[in-house]
Amino acid sequence: MAVFTPVSDDQAQAFVAAYPAVGEFRSLHAIAEGVENTNFRLETSAGKFVLTLFEGRTDAASLPFCLGFTDHLGQAGFPAARPLRDCDGEWIGVLNGRPAAIVEWLPGAWLRTPSSEDQAAAGAMLARLHLAGASFEGRRVNPVGRAAWRALADRCAKGLQGRPRGEDLSILIGVEAALARIGDPFTDDLPGGAIHADYFPDNVLFEDGAVSGVIDFYFGCTGPLAYDLAIALSAWAFDGEGRPIAGAAEAFRRGYETVRPLTRAEALALPGLGEAAAVRFTLTRLHDRIFHDPTKLVTPKDPQAFFRRVDWWRVVEAA
């Protein structure tokens, strides 16, 4: 369960009192999904909301971008959870020493085994996100971009010093080889803008066979749109062990390009961006496993499952 900072009913009630549109506090329930922030389902006299406390990897200075991006998308008719303002007109408050926000509760649930039609629908929605976000003026450097990969790899190496050779070290050796091979995949000829940067199945909600909401924009940043697509393909087109799902990547990309066709430069860059995406998520998962705090109620994800995507993208690039 992803609860890093506990919140009592009395604390939640006091926090909610500053948000006029939220209504009177009724109950608070921890949300199990997620590994970055602490999330609760907040029930009030006005309905259901999400209360989020932002933990270490989410920089408080980035929250105006992230919440502004979702608010911008919501105003454009995109199904993103818009943040609520407190009585001073602010989106961000402080709860238990953490920056905190209340956002809309979106209907639906994420799909464990999406069909080809679901894959295509998710791809089309990502393209809609890119189009709707084109007019968003905020900018944020990718917090887990190329510079962060090097820093994460170095920290992982230090964390493994003195340990017997094992899977984590083997993964790190493979990551180092991939980093040397990738270089800088973010070339200037790629269309860019505001991107989600974490468009995984558990951040896309479905209801009645259609996408009903997109959540968790806290890795959102400015970057190449094709990199966002590469991240999504790396997430949607593989099973939990990192094995490719037959036809999934094709269905997702087909759905995306029915709304926003890729430029030639993007199509050529996509395999390299996919390998970069696989390395990025391998590194954060490897780091979280090496430095896991057993007192936290969250289980680190397997970095090996994501590292397997690197080889798949290399085959695509060679084809």
Side-chain angles (χ1 to χ4, degrees):
M1 184 175 291
V3 176
F4 301 95
T5 304
V7 176
S8 69
D9 284 358
D10 288 344
Q11 290 169 329
Q13 186 172 7
F15 186 78
V16 165
Y19 291 79
V22 174
E24 296 181 3
F25 175 83
R26 294 276 173 81
S27 64
L28 193 70
H29 306 276
I31 297 174
E33 275 85 6
V35 296
E36 299 296 338
N37 299 310
T38 296
N39 296 292
F40 297 93
R41 184 177 80 248
L42 171 66
E43 297 188 8
T44 75
S45 58
K48 289 193 292 187
F49 303 89
V50 176
L51 169 63
T52 298
L53 280 69
F54 300 99
E55 305 290 349
R57 194 172 278 162
T58 304
D59 178 15
S62 70
L63 292 176
F65 174 95
C66 301
L67 296 175
F69 187 20
T70 56
D71 190 63
H72 174 89
L73 292 171
Q75 289 187 56
F78 184 89
R82 297 180 66 184
L84 281 75
R85 296 185 183 274
D86 65 15
C87 54
D88 294 323
E90 301 293 333
W91 286 323
I92 307 158
V94 177
L95 180 55
N96 273 1
R98 298 285 189 270
I102 298 174
V103 303
E104 296 172 331
W105 179 276
L106 297 179
W110 70 277
L111 304 179
R112 269 67 174 179
T113 54
S115 66
S116 293
E117 291 76 15
D118 299 328
Q119 296 271 5
M125 188 60 69
L126 179 61
R128 280 187 55 196
L129 185 158
H130 290 163
L131 294 180
S135 55
F136 179 59
E137 296 181 353
R139 296 191 62 81
R140 180 194 185 194
V141 174
N142 188 342
V144 200
R146 185 166 171 255
W149 304 342
R150 181 67 268 156
L152 283 166
D154 291 344
R155 188 152 193 265
C156 287
K158 288 182 180 179
L160 289 172
Q161 285 179 356
R163 297 191 191 183
R165 185 182 179 94
E167 182 182 67
D168 287 351
L169 181 56
S170 296
I171 293 172
L172 182 59
I173 291 170
V175 164
E176 289 287 3
L179 286 173
R181 188 170 56 249
I182 291 168
D184 185 358
F186 305 123
T187 58
D188 293 337
D189 60 344
L190 298 176
I195 63 175
H196 187 283
D198 196 27
Y199 195 85
F200 277 56
D202 57 354
N203 287 329
V204 181
L205 308 180
F206 281 75
E207 187 175 56
D208 298 328
V211 177
S212 57
V214 178
I215 61 174
D216 200 351
F217 282 75
Y218 302 116
F219 281 113
C221 59
T222 307
L225 305 184
Y227 180 57
D228 213 13
L229 175 59
I231 290 172
L233 288 169
S234 297
W236 286 79
F238 299 82
D239 66 17
E241 300 299 317
R243 296 170 299 208
I245 301 169
E250 293 81 2
F252 192 101
R253 179 172 172 177
R254 181 173 65 251
Y256 183 94
E257 294 207 68
T258 59
V259 176
R260 181 187 170 272
L262 297 179
T263 66
R264 175 172 171 76
E266 288 177 307
L268 292 173
L270 191 60
L273 294 171
E275 188 175 0
V279 167
R280 172 261 187 266
F281 284 95
T282 297
L283 273 169
T284 49
R285 292 180 180 197
L286 181 63
H287 177 276
D288 290 350
R289 187 161 76 177
I290 293 171
F291 296 99
H292 174 56
D293 181 350
T295 66
K296 301 298 185 183
L297 299 177
V298 62
T299 301
K301 295 182 178 179
D302 179 15
Q304 182 65 60
F306 227 94
F307 189 62
R308 292 189 180 105
R309 276 106 158 148
V310 171
D311 287 339
W312 185 88
W313 281 111
R314 292 185 69 191
V315 171
V316 171
E317 188 169 25

